[in-house]
Amino acid sequence: MNLTKRILEGDIRAASKLMRDIDDRIPTALDSLKELYPQTGKAYIIGITGPPGSGKSTIVDKMVDIFREEGKSVGIVAVDPTSPFSGGAILGDRIRMQRHATDEGVFIRSLATRGCLGGLSRSTQDIVNVMDAMGKDVILVETVGVGQDEIEIIHTAYTSIVVLIPGLGDDIQAIKAGIIEIGDIFVINKCDREGADKVERDLRMVLEMGKKREDGWDAPIFKTEAILGKGIFELVDGIYRHKQALEKSQTLEKKRRERMKTTFLEILESEVMALFIEKMEKGGRWETILDDLMNRRTDPYTAAERIIFEELKTH
Ligand SMILES: Nc1nc2c(ncn2[C@@H]2O[C@H](COP(=O)(O)OP(=O)(O)OP(=O)(O)O)[C@@H](O)[C@H]2O)c(=O)[nH]1
Ligand SMILES: [Mg+2]
């Protein structure tokens, strides 16, 4: 039986094989992704981001308990852009979900920044699509909230959760610029620690100062103590309420459309780039172009236009 068929039947080993092939950029992976695509679009995608060590994985782990109790199957993608050590195999330390490792209804995959052509966001999307086609009801994407990449990844989610912890101090100002806008739901985790109320007050202030959201959604704040599972039920309920609000206001359709556009542009971009790079490498043209640029015989703008023009002419 072929790989695609096995994946559609929920075969975990087949799915893992495809995900490895995607990582290694094996050309047949693209064929499988094409075949799987019609079966995607059913899963509900949730993004969770926040500072390193804020408890994202612990929260995910506890949410999975609830989803499983409700009979939902779950996919987890842990994006790990900072660690040079991971690469699809780490399921141990950084991801605290071993408890679910033997559960057939939970599929966990971690992802690093390597193989960067097309970007982390594209790779995440591919993996999410495989899990979606496998029939996962809920897909959780965990990413450390530090840079632009993470924000892009979060855009693929329908509900985005931003995790903060006490003791961030003035950092909330720094975070504000980047990730506050993307939060549909906020979590203050590690509420057993001192300062949870202060973070909450600060966050509320920042949220109130910000402009009112177009979709009319008022982002709630949940206080959790994830290691003990405290507040997680309320959080999951908050996700369901957000989902309902999205459906009611037809924003979910809009989000799906936007997500589609991002994916398509990313694929287009990476395919076009791959094409041009291959072209330049083949003809040994890299050196010529670089020489010309170094000697100021040409400028990078003209050089780029020339390559594009030549390519278009030959088609
Ligand atoms: N005190 C306290 N510790 C917590 C809580 N939740 C999680 N932790 C601990 O915080 C540490 C980091 O938790 P993780 O869930 O791995 O955090 P993370 O955000 O996924 O970390 P990275 O993926 O490495 O960025 C672990 O030692 C957890 O046990 C909490 O509510 N209170
Ligand atoms: Mg983690």
Side-chain angles (χ1 to χ4, degrees):
M1 193 166 29
N2 79 8
L3 201 64
T4 316
K5 218 158 162 207
R6 280 168 56 204
I7 293 170
L8 288 176
E9 283 174 6
D11 183 333
I12 290 172
R13 285 180 53 197
S16 301
K17 161 102 177 57
L18 175 57
M19 289 180 191
R20 274 198 306 278
D21 288 356
I22 293 172
D23 268 357
D24 298 338
R25 306 205 161 267
I26 294 179
T28 53
L30 213 56
D31 297 328
S32 303
L33 284 170
K34 286 179 193 169
E35 283 168 22
L36 289 174
Y37 195 79
Q39 304 304 323
T40 63
K42 298 181 195 102
Y44 195 75
I45 304 160
I46 302 166
I48 180 162
T49 190
S54 51
K56 301 176 293 295
S57 299
T58 313
I59 294 169
V60 165
D61 181 67
K62 301 290 178 186
M63 289 202 295
V64 169
D65 280 342
I66 297 174
F67 291 136
R68 293 301 291 141
E69 254 168 49
E70 292 172 347
K72 296 188 172 79
S73 59
V74 182
I76 302 168
V77 190
V79 185
D80 188 5
T82 41
S83 165
F85 306 111
S86 54
I90 48 146
L91 293 179
D93 220 26
R94 289 178 70 85
I95 316 174
R96 280 155 229 284
M97 295 146 203
Q98 295 93 326
R99 288 191 303 122
H100 299 292
T102 52
D103 180 351
E104 284 248 324
V106 182
F107 190 97
I108 307 172
R109 178 77 189 173
S110 64
L111 198 79
T113 356
R114 86 207 162 95
C116 225
L117 187 66
L120 204 50
S121 175
R122 154 98 194 258
S123 312
T124 308
Q125 198 62 64
D126 288 346
I127 300 292
V128 165
N129 281 343
V130 177
M131 290 187 179
D132 193 344
M134 280 172 88
K136 297 296 168 212
D137 298 306
V138 178
I139 299 171
L140 291 144
V141 181
E142 176 191 330
T143 162
V144 180
V146 280
Q148 196 55 41
D149 271 357
E150 292 65 46
I151 292 173
E152 261 165 46
I153 289 167
I154 282 295
H155 276 311
T156 67
Y158 304 139
T159 297
S160 298
I161 303 169
V162 173
V163 182
L164 300 171
I165 44 171
L168 282 174
D170 294 337
D171 293 356
I172 202 158
Q173 292 300 326
I175 289 169
K176 186 177 76 169
I179 58 179
I180 293 293
E181 290 93 31
I182 60 173
D184 299 308
I185 289 175
F186 291 88
V187 170
I188 298 168
N189 190 38
K190 306 202 182 182
C191 277
D192 48 317
R193 289 197 187 164
E194 221 172 291
D197 292 335
K198 181 174 183 324
V199 186
E200 192 186 2
R201 271 199 311 276
D202 288 354
L203 178 59
R204 251 182 232 291
M205 213 168 70
V206 170
L207 288 176
E208 274 161 25
M209 275 181 338
K211 56 176 190 284
K212 198 121 190 83
R213 293 170 51 135
E214 259 174 49
D215 57 7
W217 172 253
D218 237 342
I221 302 172
F222 294 100
K223 287 160 97 177
T224 60
E225 202 181 318
I227 20 175
L228 297 182
K230 277 192 198 167
I232 305 296
F233 195 80
E234 291 79 357
L235 169 61
V236 170
D237 190 55
I239 295 171
Y240 291 153
R241 275 193 289 123
H242 182 239
K243 179 171 182 271
Q244 267 175 4
L246 285 179
E247 281 163 354
K248 232 169 117 187
S249 63
Q250 264 118 47
T251 316
L252 192 58
E253 257 336 277
K254 223 174 102 195
K255 280 204 178 200
R256 287 206 159 108
R257 227 182 145 80
E258 268 166 31
R259 188 171 156 253
M260 205 67 89
K261 186 174 166 189
T262 316
T263 313
F264 176 61
L265 282 177
E266 273 165 5
I267 291 168
L268 189 64
E269 190 183 337
S270 54
E271 296 303 320
V272 168
M273 278 300 278
L275 190 83
F276 282 122
I277 289 171
E278 193 196 307
K279 247 209 131 86
M280 287 189 283
E281 272 170 2
K282 253 196 195 144
R285 290 189 58 191
W286 263 130
E287 292 308 315
T288 323
I289 292 170
L290 289 178
D291 284 346
D292 286 350
L293 289 173
M294 289 299 282
N295 294 321
R296 301 296 189 273
R297 273 195 292 268
T298 184
D299 59 86
Y301 316 99
T302 309
E305 274 172 7
R306 202 175 291 151
I307 294 278
I308 295 167
F309 184 71
E310 274 171 26
E311 187 54 36
L312 290 178
K313 226 174 38 188
T314 55
H315 280 285

